[in-house]
Amino acid sequence: MEKNDILFETALEQFDTVAEILQLEDEIRERMRFPKRSLIVSVPVRLDNGTVKVFRGYRVQHDITLGPSKGGIRYHPNVDLNEVSALAMLMTWKCALMHMPYGGAKGGVQCNPEEMSQNELERMTRRYTTEIVQIIGPDRDIPAPDLYTNSQTMAWMMDTYSVQQGNTVPGVVTGKPLLLGGSLGRAEGTGRGVAYMVIEAARVLYKELRGLRVAIQGMGNVGSVATRLLYDQGCNIVAVSDVSGGAYNPKGILVPYLMHHIKEHKHVVGLREADAITNEELFELDCDVIIPAAIEGQITETNADKVRAKIIVEGANGPTTPEADKILFDKKVFLVPDILANAGGVTVSYFEWVQDIQYYFWSEEDIQKKLKDVMVGTFNRVLALSNKQGVDLRTAALMLGIGRVADAKKLRGLYLNGIMDFHGSAAQ
Ligand code: NAD
């Protein structure tokens, strides 16, 4: 099976396991297993060399029971229907877990953004937005940044959508630049949420945060913010990595210097006063906390046994396979799962959307306080359920998210079903 087929199968397996624990009715399970709507589009783009390349784009809306769907857009060579469908499903559980009035969605374009110019990326973004324009909107489906997309990508999406509507619609995407209706605190929302989860996990396991040895994979939006905030809190950042490779210094990496290095050289590789390590080696280091904040499938049955950290906080979506989950649970590793750990992004996205709809903007202090309340409150609910049921934190988080969507589906009932029955029986 291909990697993304496995990702989708895993999402279904996780759902089935939790549906069984929750004893959901079969008809509710069937309705929750598959996406509500999936769109595959061709995205023709004129490249800088004058030729036209046709990319494949996707948008999957897994569920809209609790409100409009919400989820990121990624640009990556691995994007396909199965990947996007799996991630859309996870978004549904995540939004429900965080008590957001949203369903889940995900989208992306299969491309290699590292090889594309800004102009090419802009043309691709505008054409992709146009191709999915009928199914997005502030009351329908609200995209946000994800892998290799950022606030500029969202600005282009918002502009393209608004031009086609004939008026400015800031609420169609979140993660926009501040000037265009973005929210204070959004750019760092996911990384800040990850840092809160490390702090809470440390409180449960170690009591003391200062000096905790932390290794982080991924120095993008999520990883770099978590790194900076945890460094500021007194953690010892012993290793970092990105697609170029990693850097390790058991005495601690000087994070302001690391950020300067990344700004200059784009990547971690070549960082001075640190040993070069591979991404694989990062997961086996002698440290207290690992934050996978890059891509899926990084902790597997091959390396889970070699993990020495006692805490894993999943900044990335799907970095741990189910086989690795079992191994880590047996090793008593405290693993804060993706749908909770990286939910700071969708939480501040929700704040941004609310502000856009009201045209009334909050202070950064307000946003950080609200984010912390939501993240820590949810962490405590998940931890309490995990202790009560004797299940890992991932299962507990999924139980809360999936249970909430199932309850909402039951309350809403099934459209037309009753009417058909009524007509059917009236005819007899
Ligand atoms: P990003 O594009 O800003 O950064 C990605 C980082 O991962 C880069 O440092 C890149 O070099 C590194 N990377 C890519 N491929 C790699 C590989 N094969 N090995 C090691 N490192 C690799 O992306 P991001 O927004 O920081 O997202 C990272 C993860 O967090 C993704 O799984 C994403 O779905 C998840 N996430 C992001 C947000 C958000 O708000 N940005 C929210 C929730 C979840």
Side-chain angles (χ1 to χ4, degrees):
M1 259 205 296
E2 294 288 320
K3 203 172 162 201
N4 289 339
D5 303 343
I6 297 173
L7 194 70
F8 186 56
E9 286 301 317
T10 303
L12 286 178
E13 249 177 68
Q14 276 175 352
F15 169 73
D16 290 338
T17 308
V18 172
E20 198 55 39
I21 299 176
L22 294 172
Q23 304 216 305
L24 296 184
E25 295 89 332
D26 283 349
E27 61 180 53
I28 291 281
R29 287 189 205 199
E30 276 306 299
R31 290 172 61 198
M32 292 170 73
R33 269 185 122 240
F34 293 105
K36 165 141 194 88
R37 187 181 285 132
S38 309
L39 185 60
I40 304 179
V41 294
S42 284
V43 186
V45 177
R46 192 166 299 284
L47 303 181
D48 292 345
N49 66 11
T51 62
V52 171
K53 184 163 178 175
V54 182
F55 297 92
R56 185 153 303 173
Y58 303 87
R59 186 70 183 168
V60 171
Q61 298 166 348
H62 173 257
D63 189 81
I64 55 168
T65 309
L66 288 163
S69 47
K70 183 94 193 76
I73 303 279
R74 56 171 56 184
Y75 292 166
H76 197 270
N78 288 350
V79 169
D80 70 10
L81 186 63
N82 273 346
E83 180 183 66
V84 171
S85 303
L87 295 171
M89 185 184 238
L90 280 181
M91 277 305 290
T92 302
W93 315 145
K94 185 191 296 185
C95 292
L97 168 68
M98 305 311 288
H99 289 193
M100 301 290 142
Y102 291 138
K106 203 81 181 185
V109 179
Q110 192 181 76
C111 63
N112 190 348
E114 298 239 21
E115 287 174 0
M116 295 172 71
S117 70
Q118 277 294 98
N119 284 335
E120 289 170 340
L121 286 171
E122 175 173 359
R123 289 195 287 271
M124 186 177 79
T125 302
R126 290 188 182 280
R127 185 59 190 252
Y128 168 67
T129 308
T130 303
E131 296 300 334
I132 63 165
V133 80
Q134 288 103 334
I135 65 165
I136 60 171
D139 302 320
R140 290 183 170 190
D141 179 16
I142 308 134
D146 192 73
L147 265 184
Y148 292 98
T149 54
N150 52 29
S151 60
Q152 179 60 72
T153 323
M154 294 305 114
W156 291 328
M157 287 192 83
M158 184 275 242
D159 181 68
T160 306
Y161 182 87
S162 298
V163 167
Q164 299 192 20
Q165 295 296 310
N167 56 294
T168 297
V169 189
V172 64
V173 290
T174 58
K176 296 178 294 296
L178 213 49
L179 185 59
L180 300 179
S183 175
L184 287 164
R186 171 59 185 96
E188 57 166 53
T190 311
R192 182 171 284 279
V194 167
Y196 289 150
M197 294 300 92
V198 172
I199 295 168
E200 292 310 305
R203 211 191 299 282
V204 174
L205 252 65
Y206 293 104
K207 314 289 176 222
E208 178 66 70
L209 183 73
R210 287 192 79 78
L212 228 57
R213 296 162 306 161
V214 184
I216 300 127
Q217 183 194 41
M219 279 294 113
N221 180 311
V222 181
S224 67
V225 172
T227 302
R228 185 173 49 76
L229 292 175
L230 290 171
Y231 177 80
D232 290 346
Q233 292 284 320
C235 289
N236 188 10
I237 309 297
V238 292
V240 293
S241 74
D242 64 13
V243 71
S244 71
Y248 172 59
N249 181 348
K251 292 197 186 123
I253 288 169
L254 205 55
V255 168
Y257 176 68
L258 166 71
M259 295 306 162
H260 176 74
H261 174 89
I262 293 175
K263 209 168 165 197
E264 289 260 289
H265 305 281
K266 216 173 146 198
H267 289 126
V268 165
V269 76
L271 184 72
R272 276 190 284 145
E273 291 180 27
D275 297 332
I277 54 165
T278 63
N279 271 286
E280 291 74 32
E281 284 166 340
L282 179 135
F283 289 98
E284 299 168 16
L285 290 177
D286 184 16
C287 63
D288 305 304
V289 182
I290 295 176
I291 304 177
I295 54 167
E296 303 86 27
Q298 297 302 291
I299 311 178
T300 66
E301 58 190 329
T302 356
N303 64 355
D305 212 25
K306 298 180 192 145
V307 166
R308 289 198 263 174
K310 278 280 158 239
I311 295 175
I312 295 175
V313 176
E314 294 184 331
N317 284 310
T320 313
T321 63
E323 297 77 22
D325 254 344
K326 290 192 190 91
I327 298 169
L328 296 171
F329 187 62
D330 289 343
K331 278 168 62 119
K332 299 198 168 33
V333 174
F334 192 93
L335 186 150
V336 185
D338 46 9
I339 65 164
L340 169 60
N342 66 33
V346 75
T347 305
V348 184
S349 270
Y350 166 62
F351 299 158
E352 178 175 334
W353 179 73
V354 170
Q355 294 171 82
D356 285 341
I357 289 170
Q358 298 179 340
Y359 291 94
Y360 177 72
F361 291 87
W362 313 339
S363 71
E364 185 149 17
E365 211 184 351
D366 257 359
I367 286 166
Q368 284 181 10
K369 185 186 173 316
K370 286 184 166 74
L371 172 64
K372 190 170 181 185
D373 287 351
V374 174
M375 293 295 301
V376 175
T378 312
F379 175 89
N380 287 331
R381 285 193 292 121
V382 171
L383 183 62
L385 186 65
S386 139
N387 288 337
K388 187 172 159 207
Q389 300 278 335
V391 293
D392 61 12
L393 293 169
R394 190 186 312 281
T395 308
L398 286 168
M399 283 170 73
L400 290 171
I402 292 172
R404 196 169 161 87
V405 179
D407 287 348
K409 276 209 180 299
K410 279 183 235 162
L411 280 173
R412 285 185 61 162
L414 184 61
Y415 176 63
L416 277 187
N417 203 33
I419 299 169
M420 298 292 272
D421 287 351
F422 172 77
H423 284 310
S425 55
Q428 280 166 9

